[in-house]
């Protein structure tokens, strides 16, 4: 054997009781599991290297069901933000906006639109235009594995543009072809950002048609739906109805109930989902274990202000009369970009800027529309924010649900990113398992491993099982925890000494190795 972990406490991802065993790795897969007290004559495995795992839990690698590492994986070979957490697979292409499929025009536009999420991309060689081309690029070697969702907003940008109108039949055919091609090339499903333009301009009929294509390839639909604030339950219900009509599996992105209008209302969401599940719907969801959200400042504007694309937004912001209309929608009416809730500027904290001259604003709260408008113009829409609008009781209630999985929604840009980018998975294991007892260790590991693997259709990941790929994490249940805080958000976690991706150490004795063992994970029929 290549490697044996001796005397590990195996938390195998099924949710069942842990057990003590030796786990042997060979050729990038789990070759043998010999439990303590195995029948006489069953020899303990030997290997070229033996690691004493006494006192450590061994689990499948964690799957981040909602990641924004689309460029970070290419830009930063180290990628300790995720590798150090025990993440061995990230799902990219989230919220309906990413970098494939594109043509030259669409690529330039989407780079501008999500600079706040991923940076400008000036340091990236965009040598792909298709989903398959992007996945091929990942296959040159990345820190952890990655799967990809076709971004519906980018697809609409490509076929329709930035107009707020129904797609023509020929445009809809174009979008169907783009989605089908992406699925054939290995995407696991399709995402939407229905509070982000231009994806939010799509009506239900259009989304249903695209979901039918996804369903035909056995993929799933992952919407950031139309509201997490006012009308949130109706927005969740819309996604359930739409996907049931399309015959498509549904995975709800960062399924939270935020803003004052939803305090204490998580049980209503779960009742809605339970009713659909009991009726045969195929639904899962992910959350992060924190209360604030994170997005770009431009995203909170009303959708009409973003029609036409980034340059049109800037032109409207420069015009005093139009800027006043935007303010009125934000502060009085409740912008659809801000989930239908009138803006409370005290909840908005600047987490990152694109222009270095504006760095003094990072960590400060926005004191009103005049400041927000200035930042949007001077930073050319590249400002990222934390939005302090969540509720702890909702977070805890939703994470207990039977179809819950973990997703960081981690935006790695900015001087002061949300700590979820560096801390989500150890936060679950440390705070919510050990400290608060919201979940048992075995149940939490299942949420973070086998459940997401099942959603992704992966038959050889997500469990500690002979023959499965050796995506593994060894952590100390007594010390594991998120090092990242709101004050120091890039601090690495504690208590996770070893992480393997495809059988190679990417973290060893708590330090990042030079291994680039990750590859694309593609869905097949």
């Amino acid at each position: 054997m290549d490697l044996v972990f001796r005397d590990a406490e195996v938390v195998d991802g099924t949710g069942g009781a842990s057990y003590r065993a030796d786990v042997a790795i060979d050729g990038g897969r789990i070759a043998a599991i010999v439990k303590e007290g195995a029948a006489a004559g069953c020899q303990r495995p030997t290997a070229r290297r033996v690691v004493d795992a006494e006192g450590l839990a061994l689990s499948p690698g964690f799957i981040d069901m909602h990641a924004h590492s689309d460029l970070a994986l290419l830009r930063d070979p180290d990628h300790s933000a995720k590798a150090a957490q025990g993440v061995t697979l990230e799902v990219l292409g989230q919220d309906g906006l990413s970098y494939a499929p594109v043509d030259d025009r669409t690529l330039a536009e989407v780079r501008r639109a999500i600079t706040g999420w991923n940076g400008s991309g000036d340091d990236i060689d965009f040598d792909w235009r298709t989903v398959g081309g992007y996945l091929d690029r990942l296959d040159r070697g990345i820190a952890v594995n990655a799967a990809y969702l076709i971004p519906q907003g980018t697809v609409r940008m490509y076929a329709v543009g930035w107009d707020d109108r129904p797609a023509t039949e020929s445009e809809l055919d174009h979008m169907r072809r783009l989605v089908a091609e992406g699925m054939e090339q290995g995407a696991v499903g399709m995402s939407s950002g229905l509070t982000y333009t231009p994806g939010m301009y799509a009506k239900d009929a259009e989304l249903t048609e695209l979901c039918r294509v996804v369903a035909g390839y056995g993929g799933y639909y992952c919407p950031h739906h139309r509201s997490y604030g006012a009308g949130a339950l109706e927005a969740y219900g819309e996604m359930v109805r739409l996907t049931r009509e399309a015959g498509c599996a549904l995975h709800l992105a960062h399924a939270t109930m935020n803003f004052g209008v939803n305090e204490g209302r998580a049980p209503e969401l779960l009742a809605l989902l339970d009713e659909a599940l009991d009726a045969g719907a195929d639904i899962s969801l992910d959350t992060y274990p924190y209360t604030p959200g994170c997005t770009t400042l431009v995203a909170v504007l009303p959708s009409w202000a973003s029609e036409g694309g980034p340059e049109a937004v800037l032109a409207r912001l420069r015009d005093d009369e139009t800027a006043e209309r935007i303010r009125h929608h934000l502060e009085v009416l409740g912008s659809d970009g801000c989930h239908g809730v009138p803006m409370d500027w005290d909840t908005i904290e600047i987490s990152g800027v694109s222009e270095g001259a504006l760095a003094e604003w990072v960590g400060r709260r926005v004191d009103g529309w005049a400041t927000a408008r200035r930042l949007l113009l001077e930073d050319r829409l590249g400002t990222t924010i934390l939005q302090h609008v969540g509720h702890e009781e909702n977070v805890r209630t939703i994470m207990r649900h039977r179809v819950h999985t973990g997703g960081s929604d981690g935006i790695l840009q900015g001087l002061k990113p949300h700590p979820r980018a560096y801390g989500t998975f150890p936060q679950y294991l440390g705070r919510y398992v050990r400290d608060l007892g919201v979940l048992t260790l075995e149940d939490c590991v299942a949420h973070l491993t086998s459940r997401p693997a099942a959603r992704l259709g992966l038959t050889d990941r997500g469990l500690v099982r002979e023959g499965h790929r050796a995506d593994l994490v060894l952590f100390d249940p007594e010390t594991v925890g998120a090092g990242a805080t709101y004050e120091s958000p890039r601090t690495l976690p504690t208590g996770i000494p070893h992480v393997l991706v495809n059988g190679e150490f990417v973290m060893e004795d708590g330090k990042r190795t030079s291994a680039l063992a990750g590859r694309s994970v593609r869905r097949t029929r």
Side-chain angles (χ1 to χ4, degrees), residues 135-176:
L135 296 176
D136 288 344
R137 177 68 179 275
L138 298 178
D139 281 339
R140 298 179 196 174
I142 48 180
V144 302
N145 300 310
Y148 189 75
L149 294 164
I150 301 163
Q152 171 261 330
T154 301
V155 166
R156 196 172 212 273
M157 196 186 305
Y158 192 156
V160 181
W162 290 82
D163 296 339
D164 184 1
R165 61 171 176 80
T168 66
E169 191 57 39
S170 64
E171 289 167 342
L172 183 56
D173 282 342
H174 189 190
M175 288 189 281
R176 288 192 193 100

Side-chain angles (χ1 to χ4, degrees), residues 495-507:
I496 306 179
H498 304 302
V499 181
L500 278 73
V501 173
N502 295 316
E504 293 188 49
F505 283 95
V506 295
M507 297 293 298

Side-chain angles (χ1 to χ4, degrees), residues 219-240:
Y220 68 92
Y221 181 44
C222 180
H224 164 128
H225 52 279
R226 298 191 193 275
S227 178
Y228 291 84
L233 285 176
E234 292 79 3
Y236 280 111
E238 175 192 9
M239 296 297 101
V240 172

Side-chain angles (χ1 to χ4, degrees), residues 378-398:
E378 294 186 11
D379 207 24
R380 294 187 59 77
L381 314 181
T383 306
T384 52
I385 60 171
L386 300 185
Q387 199 164 10
H388 295 268
V389 292
H391 305 285
E392 179 66 19
E393 71 276 18
N394 285 349
V395 171
R396 296 189 193 189
T397 299
I398 294 170

Side-chain angles (χ1 to χ4, degrees), residues 397-481:
T397 299
I398 294 170
M399 74 169 62
R400 294 188 184 101
H401 195 262
R402 53 178 161 152
V403 298
H404 170 267
T405 68
S408 71
D409 197 11
I411 294 174
L412 298 167
Q413 282 295 113
L415 295 175
K416 194 181 179 189
H418 196 304
R420 68 193 186 194
Y422 283 72
T424 286
F425 295 87
Q427 178 84 338
Y428 270 118
L429 296 169
R431 176 169 169 76
Y432 288 95
V433 171
R434 182 186 61 240
D435 298 344
L436 298 176
V438 175
L439 298 169
T440 67
L441 179 61
E442 289 87 350
D443 192 25
C444 184
V445 168
H447 288 221
L448 307 180
T449 59
S450 62
R451 285 191 195 173
R455 167 53 71 215
L456 294 168
L458 305 178
T459 58
D460 62 352
R461 300 180 195 266
L463 294 169
V464 179
R465 182 169 291 173
E466 291 179 359
H468 275 46
R469 293 182 183 273
D471 292 348
L472 299 170
V473 184
L474 283 93
F475 61 92
D476 183 346
E478 299 301 318
T479 63
V480 64

